[in-house]
Structure formats: structure tokens, C-alpha cells
């Protein structure tokens, strides 16, 4: 298939581009580079040995999106592009709703006009909200999210479901990710957050490489084994493979729109993750315990059985793989991707 990857220069998008190419697909990237560096593309080309065509614009631009579909032959879309910082979304809700919703509508309209009916969407476990029973199952119906960012994921899942119901043949896989971490085993591409990292793994990696003084553990009085929050961390390589599996399964899905959890099914605590990273680096890393972060849930993980059974997909990489690969990337690229 010839696959349009929106946000293909980003963290998960770039790993998925490589997996798609390795699986024999052709890839076209659209990215506005608002939260990624153009130098990612050269690395994708050298790792894959393939030219990766890139269109650089913001998908909220309806005319440019239309022109892209008019000029490129596209069989399927994997849609990653969007703003994704939870805290920032609380202070800039208009920007988040406008960007994430408008870009999706513009993409869906162009797909409809040009008869493209295969879509894989980058959703999130955040859609399970605060009250879903753990492990999270796709059968849970009361989707909600406490942040505008998360709410855009809930809304986009709904929009895609409505558009598919009104369309003749649109097939959509909604992939609900748990906590993606790790990097490509080459150490050439990985997560490169701009500014202070919001998420645990890039923060630990920046402490290890000397860019941050110490990790602050957000609370150690949760009702968990060691008192710190537990999450379902999965390797970005497994996650990327999940996109290829979903794409190739679209035509055989039991319903035109289907949600799949992509996770390992196991929770790991903040302190256990820190210890695992220390093993990868070979030394202790400084940390302190601080107050809880607003909005954090004590513990959640995936029930990944639907993806296991229907997509034939399973996360295979261990926590130690995730830490070793993150460290290879971070130590080789202490400041992330170069500007040019
Ligand atoms: C966060 C978002 C979630 C989003 C996901 C993917 C929140 C509340 N949730 O999930 O909506 O889909 O990222 O990007 O922001 N931690 C520390 N110290 C740190 C950073 C994190 O102790 O410096 C802890 C957190 O309290 C949490 C765990 O590490 O218990 C994982 O945090 P994080 O990586 O931000 O992921 P989530 O909170 O699960």
C-alpha cells in the first residue's frame, strides 16, 4: 500500500514510517515540523535506504490537504499529527481543539473526496477517563478525559465513527496507546521533546545524560506496592508494529470501526522504571520524592487481548529493552536531533 503518515516526523510516527517501509509499504509523510525537526527525515532515509517524500504543511489547511490528495496516489492514512501535551492543553484549549479537530476533519474530507477508505488513528488510553475498571478494555463505553488534549482523542474517535457510518466503505482502526517509550535499536531516532519533558522516560533519560539535575517522583503515597504510580509502558518498536498489523487487518475487521488497546498488559511503577534505567546506564541516578501531580491516576494497564487475538499483535520487548534502547538514543544524541 502507499500510506500517508501524518505526523511522520514525530516520535511514534517516525518509528512507524520505518516499520511500514520494512513491511514493504510505500510511505508519504505530511508534517508541519511544529514539534519535530526536519533532520529526522535524513535519518529515516539512511536507516531505510529509501527516499521518503515529505509534504511540509499544517493539515488544518484544507486547500493544501486537498492538493496533497490530488497529487499523490494514497491507499491508506495513518494519522498521528496533533498537539499532545496534557498540561499545555489545559492552558491553551482553543489551540488544542482547533488544531486536533480541524486537521482531522480536513483529512477525512480529502479522504472522502479521493476515495481513500483505510484509516489508522493514533488514539490514547486517556479516553478511558478516571473511572474505567483496570485493566482497561475496549468494551468500556463511557469514554471521557479530564484534559482538553484527551478530550480531542475522545471527540476524534467519535467523529471517525460517525463519518464511517455515513460513508461507503471507510474502515478505521482506533489505536489506544498506553505509555510508549524506548527508541529504534540503532540509536538514530528516538523521543526528542522540546523544552522540559512532561513524561517520565524522557525526563529520566535527560537526568542520565546530565541535562537535568534529578528526577522528581510525583508522589509515593499511592495505593500501589511501592507507593508510586504504575503504568503500562510499551516499546515504541512494538507500538509501530501494531500500526502495521492494524493497517493490514483493516479490510478484515469485524466492524468498520474498531478500537484496539496497544499495551503489554502489565503495570510498572515509577521507581521500578528508574531502577531499570539505572541498570541500562550502569549507575545510580539522582531523584527526590515530590507532591502528586494533578490528574494522575494510581495505576492502570491494558487488557491487550483484542489486539493479540484479532491483529495477531503482541508486545514482545521488555522494560530492560525499553531502557537500553532509550539510553542508546539519548547518549548518542544528548541534545536530541540536530537543527540542520
Ligand atoms: C501522560 C498523560 C496522558 C498521555 C500520556 C502520553 C497526564 C496526567 N497524563 O500519561 O494523558 O496520554 O502522558 O503522553 O499527563 N512521573 C514522575 N516524574 C516525572 C514525570 C512523570 O514521577 O517527572 C510519573 C507520573 O506521575 C506517572 C508516571 O511517571 O505516574 C508516568 O507519567 P507520564 O510519562 O507523564 O505518563 P502518564 O501520566 O501515564
Amino acid at each position: 500500500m502507499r500510506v500517508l503518515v501524518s505526523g511522520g516526523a514525530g516520535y511514534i510516527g517516525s518509528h512507524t514510517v520505518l516499520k511500514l517501509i520494512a513491511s514493504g509499504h510505500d510511505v508519504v509523510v505530511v508534517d508541519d515540523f511544529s514539534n519535530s525537526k526536519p533532520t529526522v527525515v535524513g535519518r529515516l532515509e539512511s536507516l531505510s535506504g529509501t527516499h521518503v517524500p515529505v509534504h511540509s504543511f499544517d493539515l488544518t489547511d484544507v486547500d493544501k490537504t486537498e492538493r496533497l490528495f490530488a497529487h499523490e496516489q494514497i491507499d491508506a492514512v495513518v494519522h498521528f499529527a496533533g498537539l499532545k501535551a496534557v498540561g499545555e492543553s489545559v492552558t491553551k484549549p482553543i489551540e488544542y481543539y482547533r488544531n486536533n479537530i480541524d486537521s482531522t476533519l480536513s483529512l477525512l474530507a480529502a479522504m472522502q473526496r479521493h476515495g481513500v477508505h483505510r484509516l489508522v488513528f493514533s488514539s490514547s488510553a486517556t479516553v478511558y477517563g478516571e473511572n474505567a475498571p483496570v485493566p482497561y478494555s475496549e468494551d468500556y463505553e463511557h469514554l471521557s478525559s479530564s484534559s482538553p488534549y484527551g478530550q480531542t482523542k475522545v471527540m476524534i474517535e467519535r467523529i471517525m465513527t460517525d463519518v464511517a457510518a455515513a460513508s461507503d466503505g471507510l474502515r478505521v482502526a482506533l489505536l489506544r496507546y498506553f505509555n510508549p517509550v524506548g527508541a529504534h535499536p540503532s540509536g538514530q531516532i528516538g523521543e526528542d521533546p522540546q523544552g522540559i519533558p512532561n513524561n517520565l522516560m524522557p525526563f529520566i533519560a535527560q537526568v542520565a545524560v546530565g541535562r537535568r539535575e534529578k528526577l522528581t517522583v510525583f508522589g509515593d503515597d499511592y495505593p500501589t506496592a511501592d507507593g508510586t504510580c504504575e503504568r503500562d509502558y510499551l516499546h515504541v518498536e512494538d507500538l509501530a508494529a501494531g500500526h502495521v498489523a492494524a493497517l493490514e487487518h483493516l479490510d478484515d475487521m469485524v466492524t468498520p470501526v474498531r478500537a484496539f488497546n496497544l499495551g503489554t498488559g502489565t503495570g510498572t511503577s515509577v521507581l521500578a522504571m528508574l531502577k531499570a534505567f539505572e541498570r541500562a546506564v550502569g549507575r545510580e541516578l539522582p531523584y527526590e520524592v515530590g507532591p502528586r501531580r494533578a490528574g494522575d491516576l494510581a495505576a492502570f494497564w491494558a487488557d491487550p487481548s483484542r489486539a493479540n487475538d484479532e491483529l495477531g499483535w503482541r508486545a514482545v520487548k521488555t522494560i530492560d529493552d525499553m531502557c537500553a534502547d532509550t539510553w542508546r538514543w539519548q547518549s548518542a544524541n544528548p541534545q536530541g536531533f540536530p537543527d540542520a
Side-chain angles (χ1 to χ4, degrees):
M1 280 187 255
R2 193 144 201 269
V3 186
L4 177 69
V5 181
S6 80
Y11 171 45
I12 303 168
S14 59
H15 289 79
T16 302
V17 164
L18 290 182
K19 279 276 188 258
L20 285 165
I21 295 171
S23 307
H25 299 286
D26 285 336
V27 168
V28 180
V29 166
V30 56
D31 202 302
D32 70 355
F33 297 101
S34 58
N35 194 26
S36 58
K37 301 261 180 72
T39 48
V40 177
V41 179
R43 297 200 177 180
L44 293 178
E45 293 189 326
S46 72
L47 287 167
S48 66
T50 310
H51 170 60
V52 179
V54 177
H55 296 262
S56 177
F57 67 87
D58 179 342
L59 283 167
T60 60
D61 188 324
V62 175
D63 294 337
K64 286 184 179 163
T65 306
E66 167 61 27
R67 279 205 291 281
L68 167 67
F69 278 77
H71 286 112
E72 297 274 11
Q73 182 253 319
I74 292 163
D75 301 308
V77 176
V78 183
H79 182 33
F80 294 101
L83 301 175
K84 57 155 203 171
V86 176
E88 185 185 59
S89 79
V90 177
T91 56
K92 298 178 177 170
I94 297 173
E95 209 174 311
Y96 270 68
Y97 285 112
R98 175 158 290 152
N99 188 290
N100 291 3
I101 305 294
D102 275 3
S103 57
T104 302
L105 291 173
S106 155
L107 200 52
L108 285 166
M111 287 177 68
Q112 193 169 66
R113 271 195 303 274
H114 294 274
V116 180
H117 52 261
R118 295 189 190 94
L119 176 60
V120 174
F121 176 56
S122 165
S123 189
S124 166
T126 192
V127 302
Y128 291 108
E130 295 179 0
N131 300 314
V134 177
Y136 290 167
S137 154
E138 297 91 344
D139 294 327
Y140 185 75
E141 286 178 351
H142 308 288
L143 302 183
S144 71
S145 182
S146 51
S147 71
Y149 152 75
Q151 205 55 40
T152 67
K153 296 292 183 192
V154 175
M155 291 166 74
I156 292 168
E157 286 201 3
R158 179 61 200 248
I159 289 168
M160 290 179 171
T161 304
D162 291 345
V163 172
S167 90
D168 194 10
L170 180 65
R171 319 277 303 177
V172 189
L174 307 168
L175 303 185
R176 297 177 179 162
Y177 316 154
F178 284 69
N179 289 62
V181 299
H184 190 266
S186 66
Q188 288 289 300
I189 58 168
E191 188 169 12
D192 182 20
Q194 309 300 301
I196 300 170
N198 299 306
N199 299 115
L200 179 65
M201 191 70 148
F203 202 103
I204 295 178
Q206 291 194 8
V207 171
V209 84
R211 280 173 69 180
R212 312 270 158 213
E213 190 195 335
K214 57 177 179 250
L215 173 72
T216 300
V217 174
F218 297 145
D220 68 351
D221 57 352
Y222 285 96
T224 58
D226 66 17
T228 65
C229 295
E230 293 173 0
R231 295 288 182 274
D232 185 342
Y233 297 95
L234 87 154
H235 199 297
V236 67
E237 286 279 290
D238 282 333
L239 181 57
H243 290 74
V244 178
L247 179 73
E248 293 178 351
H249 176 72
L250 279 173
D251 294 346
D252 303 319
M253 287 191 312
V254 295
T255 47
V257 180
R258 193 115 175 111
F260 297 96
N261 287 339
L262 296 184
T264 65
T266 315
T268 301
S269 76
V270 176
L271 286 178
M273 207 60 182
L274 179 66
K275 293 293 154 210
F277 210 90
E278 290 178 342
R279 285 196 294 278
V281 179
R283 62 187 147 84
E284 291 191 0
L285 298 172
Y287 77 95
E288 66 180 3
V289 176
R292 291 182 176 196
R293 179 173 68 180
D296 270 341
L297 300 176
F300 62 85
W301 53 88
D303 172 354
S305 54
R306 183 185 284 183
N308 299 164
D309 297 345
E310 297 181 15
L311 302 180
W313 171 89
R314 191 173 297 276
V316 293
K317 302 240 185 199
T318 65
I319 292 285
D320 285 314
D321 296 330
M322 300 173 206
C323 293
D325 289 337
T326 301
W327 180 233
R328 191 174 303 109
W329 149 254
Q330 189 72 80
S331 51
N333 302 272
Q335 302 298 326
F337 290 104
D339 286 327

